[in-house]
Amino acid sequence: MKKVLLIEDSITVRQQVGFAIRQTGAQVMNAENGQIGLDLLARHVDDIGLIFLDLHMPVLSGMEALETIKYKREFSQIPVFILTTEGCQEMLDKARSLGAVGWITKPFLPETIWEAIKRYLKSE
C-alpha cells in the first residue's frame, strides 16, 4: 500500500490524523509546512498515494503547495484532500479548481479520513 503524506503545521492535528490513517493500515509521512511537504514529495513521489493538506501554514501555504503539486507532472496524479478549519466557499472553489479531490473540515471524524483512504489510496 502506498503511503499518505500529511502536510499540517499543528502537531496535535498531525497526531490525530496520523492515528486515523494508521488505523487503516496505511503508513503516514508528516510535514509541518508546505515546503517540507513538497521536499518529501519530491524524494518519495513513487511511495505516496494520497495527500492531506492544511491550508494555513507558515513558510508555504497549503494553497501554494497545492498549486505546485498539481502543476508538476510527476505529482499531479496524486489525490489531494484539503484538511482545514476554513469554511469559505471561495477557498473551497479555488482548491477544487486547482485539483483538490475533497475537503475535510477540522474537527473531523476518523471515519472521514478512513473513507478518503479507502476511496483514493492506491494498493499495490
Side-chain angles (χ1 to χ4, degrees), residues 51-53 79-83 92 95-96 99-104 120:
I51 300 170
F52 288 106
L53 177 64
V80 177
F81 270 86
I82 300 301
L83 180 66
L92 171 61
R96 284 210 172 120
V101 297
W103 186 276
I104 297 173
Y120 288 98

Side-chain angles (χ1 to χ4, degrees), residues 7-8 31-39 53-54 57-62 65:
I7 307 172
E8 165 65 58
E32 62 262 15
N33 65 55
Q35 186 59 59
I36 293 170
L38 290 176
D39 293 345
L53 177 64
D54 184 22
M57 295 180 289
V59 183
L60 186 70
S61 75

Side-chain angles (χ1 to χ4, degrees), residues 6-22:
L6 172 58
I7 307 172
E8 165 65 58
D9 62 325
S10 165
I11 190 165
T12 302
V13 175
R14 281 198 313 269
Q15 290 170 339
Q16 292 170 339
V17 176
F19 180 75
I21 291 168
R22 286 188 296 280

Side-chain angles (χ1 to χ4, degrees), residues 55 84-94 103:
L55 283 184
T84 189
T85 58
E86 185 68 56
C88 173
Q89 187 64 43
E90 184 177 314
M91 293 292 281
L92 171 61
D93 292 342
K94 182 175 181 183
W103 186 276

